[in-house]
Amino acid sequence: MRILCGAVALVLLAVTGCQSGVSGQPEPEGDSFAVKDGSRLRFRPVLAELPPGPATGAAANRQSTDPAEQQAAAAALDCSPGPDPLDGRDDPALPLVGCDSVQGAKYLLGPVFLTGADLGKANARLDQSGSSMVGLSFTDAGSRKWAEWTAANVGKQVAMVLKSRVLTAPMIQSAITGGETQITGKFTLPEARQLARDIAGV
């Protein structure tokens, strides 16, 4: 589970087997990565976490608005490691059935509301307690969208999706304002660094 924090806000990231949080307190920079080709990273609301399990059939329409087709797509989806067959060609305006890139959890995700173009940088560092975290710095426009979305979706998860794979899916604990968000959890500094690199697209 991972946690995201924003200025005077705490976000809990619900990822299988991990515990994390987010805050807006400034921390030392650590390893910082400028966001590259931000259009590839997409922020989608998590509408449902779907039952895990092996793929049971041929690939189905993963972007249907029909609940029955969404369930069929989840059942057919193979979440084993490797590239996603959609590989970022998903329609941002439609729902998406996708997999967690590490744990293999399956999600039904809503339409995109933010992209990596709304992020300036991602960094990996240690917090004051010595725990690893990932920090996100939003652009001015991204900060406004993020603050509005988090305020309206407290208690819900958000998925950060790259190439149609879910990198992380935190739960929002409160509105995150100020343009700074932190993801913390039970991961090592090298794992935090890799997540920051994945989010930044470097």
Side-chain angles (χ1 to χ4, degrees), residues 24-142:
Q25 305 305 317
E27 299 284 349
E29 279 301 305
D31 296 314
S32 187
F33 308 100
V35 174
K36 307 287 185 189
D37 188 18
S39 61
R40 298 179 68 183
L41 179 71
R42 297 172 176 179
F43 289 69
R44 288 176 173 270
V46 174
L47 304 179
E49 188 165 348
L50 303 168
T56 59
N61 180 7
R62 292 170 50 198
Q63 293 213 266
S64 174
T65 56
D66 180 279
E69 286 191 23
Q70 292 167 349
Q71 291 294 325
L77 184 58
D78 181 3
C79 289
S80 57
D84 187 295
L86 280 179
D87 195 19
R89 294 184 300 273
D90 53 291
D91 185 335
L94 292 174
L96 172 68
V97 174
C99 293
D100 178 276
S101 60
V102 177
Q103 304 287 340
K106 297 180 182 182
Y107 297 96
L108 172 60
L109 308 173
V112 172
F113 69 94
L114 274 176
T115 73
D118 296 301
L119 276 178
K121 64 184 176 182
N123 59 68
R125 59 187 184 260
L126 299 176
D127 65 15
Q128 293 173 348
S129 70
S131 298
S132 301
M133 67 166 51
V134 173
L136 304 180
S137 297
F138 289 87
T139 64
D140 289 344

Side-chain angles (χ1 to χ4, degrees), residues 107-193:
Y107 297 96
L108 172 60
L109 308 173
V112 172
F113 69 94
L114 274 176
T115 73
D118 296 301
L119 276 178
K121 64 184 176 182
N123 59 68
R125 59 187 184 260
L126 299 176
D127 65 15
Q128 293 173 348
S129 70
S131 298
S132 301
M133 67 166 51
V134 173
L136 304 180
S137 297
F138 289 87
T139 64
D140 289 344
S143 296
R144 291 190 292 273
K145 293 180 206 174
W146 183 237
E148 182 179 330
W149 191 87
T150 56
N153 290 277
V154 173
K156 298 179 182 177
Q157 287 176 265
V158 59
M160 297 174 200
V161 182
L162 183 67
K163 296 183 177 181
S164 306
R165 285 271 187 177
V166 176
L167 297 176
T168 190
M171 183 180 292
I172 308 303
Q173 296 298 314
S174 59
I176 300 175
T177 60
E180 298 292 326
T181 291
Q182 298 166 2
I183 305 170
T184 62
K186 294 180 179 177
F187 45 72
T188 65
L189 187 56
E191 289 168 340
R193 188 177 294 118

